[in-house]
Amino acid sequence: MRFTSREESIRAELLTDLIDVGSYKDIHDVLETRVLQLCRADHFALGCANLDGSVGLQWTSRTTMPLLEHYSQWVTNDFVFKATLAQPNRVLSTGEMLQGQKLDAMETRQRSVEAGLDLKHVMAALLIEEQQGLKGGLAVYSEASRPFPVRSQQLLQRLVPAIHKAVSRVQRLHAQGLELDLLKAGFAESGALLVLTPWGREMVRTNAATALLEKWFARSDRTPQGIPRAWVDKVAKLSRLEGLIPPALATEVKEKDGRQLQVTFSLSTILWAGNPLWQVRIVERPHWLREDWLRLLTDTERKVADGIYMGLTDRGIAEFVGNTVGTVKKQTGAIYRKTRTKGRMDFLAQGRRA
């Protein structure tokens, strides 16, 4: 279908202005007047996914809010929602949505009349992404007896990709702002940072956290998103508790080859969708022994070295390691030979990590 130069000019202006929008209101203000002109409609409404992550759409309209104000309470009975959900990202006309049913028999029509709106025709679309789900929706309404022409439907359809991008831009800007706020709130303390919702969804993660998770947890112990399954269960359990969280429940220590991974769970000062967020602070404590000497020793010798560092006697080390005193004497001798030291004091003096 060919469009007039005026229609193309309005569309070009609209597309240009949508590029730099920073809020849902900006998108609505850019669209409303021009969409009404292009489609020869009486009312326009824009719905966008709630930025706080809660279910549903945040509707903006200058004239139809009496109808949409409590939309979430009757959305499942709305013939417009049912039809556009079945065919997302496509602008549908009243006839396509009703499929032979009478408009006057629809709850949507009855509610519009009760809201003081004589809505007789509608064109609408739901914006849905395969991975991210519902992003938004738009609707234009007419109080005229004649239905919208096919020309109006095609003009509106040509705008859908740009509206989709504009909504995604605002959502991305909000997500980046939230991520920055979470990082700022978390940088008050040292260590790698992971922020989780009470049900284990990741909100933000530092690169250092990713490296530690991959280093300390097998892939089978992590969710597809890379979060330790034990931590998902942990935040769910902590979220059910009331009052102060006992320190013993809010901390975990994992040991491996003389190194420690210290993990602390604490509530963030930032809420998301009305829910508390959990800051997971991750700190790796290296082994006390210098790295080049660690590589020289066997696992058992490393444990014997830990006993020396703890100041244990040979008998104490034997109990600590689970060997005889005689075996421990042989192992300490092997440690001193490998490190070219002359005994305990020399070993400790040269072996401590800087």
Side-chain angles (χ1 to χ4, degrees), residues 142-294:
S142 171
E143 296 183 2
S145 299
R146 304 176 81 178
F148 285 107
V150 174
R151 180 185 208 84
S152 296
Q153 187 176 354
Q154 292 193 6
L155 278 167
L156 191 58
Q157 183 65 59
R158 292 182 71 190
L159 299 177
V160 166
I163 298 172
H164 213 304
K165 287 182 180 178
V167 172
S168 294
R169 171 184 168 79
V170 172
Q171 293 168 349
R172 186 168 59 252
L173 288 173
H174 178 80
Q176 290 171 348
L178 176 62
E179 181 176 327
L180 182 59
D181 288 343
L182 289 171
L183 288 172
K184 284 181 179 177
F187 278 151
E189 300 175 36
S190 62
L193 179 68
L194 175 68
V195 180
L196 301 175
T197 65
W199 51 93
R201 172 182 169 180
E202 177 186 322
M203 296 299 295
V204 69
R205 183 200 305 196
T206 60
N207 291 335
T210 298
L212 289 174
L213 294 181
E214 293 176 351
K215 180 178 181 180
W216 282 82
F217 295 89
R219 182 172 295 182
S220 59
D221 294 331
R222 292 178 278 142
T223 67
Q225 292 71 41
I227 304 167
R229 299 180 192 279
W231 293 5
V232 174
D233 296 337
K234 182 84 169 184
V235 295
K237 180 180 179 180
L238 291 174
S239 298
R240 291 192 293 268
L241 297 178
E242 297 181 2
L244 294 175
I245 306 298
L249 287 179
T251 57
E252 287 187 3
V253 176
K254 187 178 176 72
E255 295 189 0
K256 181 180 180 182
D257 297 335
R259 291 174 282 114
Q260 279 191 344
L261 191 72
Q262 299 176 350
V263 186
T264 306
F265 298 81
S266 63
L267 284 172
S268 172
T269 56
I270 298 173
L271 297 178
W272 186 78
N275 295 294
L277 296 175
W278 287 93
Q279 291 183 163
V280 185
R281 185 77 49 187
I282 314 164
V283 179
E284 184 181 49
R285 303 293 184 192
H287 196 276
W288 66 271
L289 190 63
R290 47 193 270 193
E291 192 68 31
D292 57 334
W293 283 14
L294 271 176

Side-chain angles (χ1 to χ4, degrees), residues 44-58:
F44 171 74
L46 175 72
C48 301
N50 291 317
L51 292 174
D52 66 359
S54 57
V55 177
L57 295 180
Q58 174 185 326

Side-chain angles (χ1 to χ4, degrees), residues 257-258 287-289 301-312 320 347:
D257 297 335
H287 196 276
W288 66 271
L289 190 63
E301 289 170 348
R302 188 183 298 121
K303 199 166 184 180
V304 171
D306 288 339
I308 296 172
Y309 180 72
M310 294 161 62
L312 301 178
F320 176 62
F347 174 70

Side-chain angles (χ1 to χ4, degrees), residues 49-87:
N50 291 317
L51 292 174
D52 66 359
S54 57
V55 177
L57 295 180
Q58 174 185 326
W59 286 95
T60 306
S61 176
R62 190 171 49 82
T63 57
T64 62
M65 287 313 297
L67 173 66
L68 299 173
E69 191 173 14
H70 302 293
Y71 186 56
S72 61
Q73 298 175 9
W74 59 279
V75 58
T76 54
N77 297 328
D78 180 22
F79 75 93
V80 177
F81 173 77
K82 292 178 182 177
T84 53
L85 182 63
Q87 299 185 64

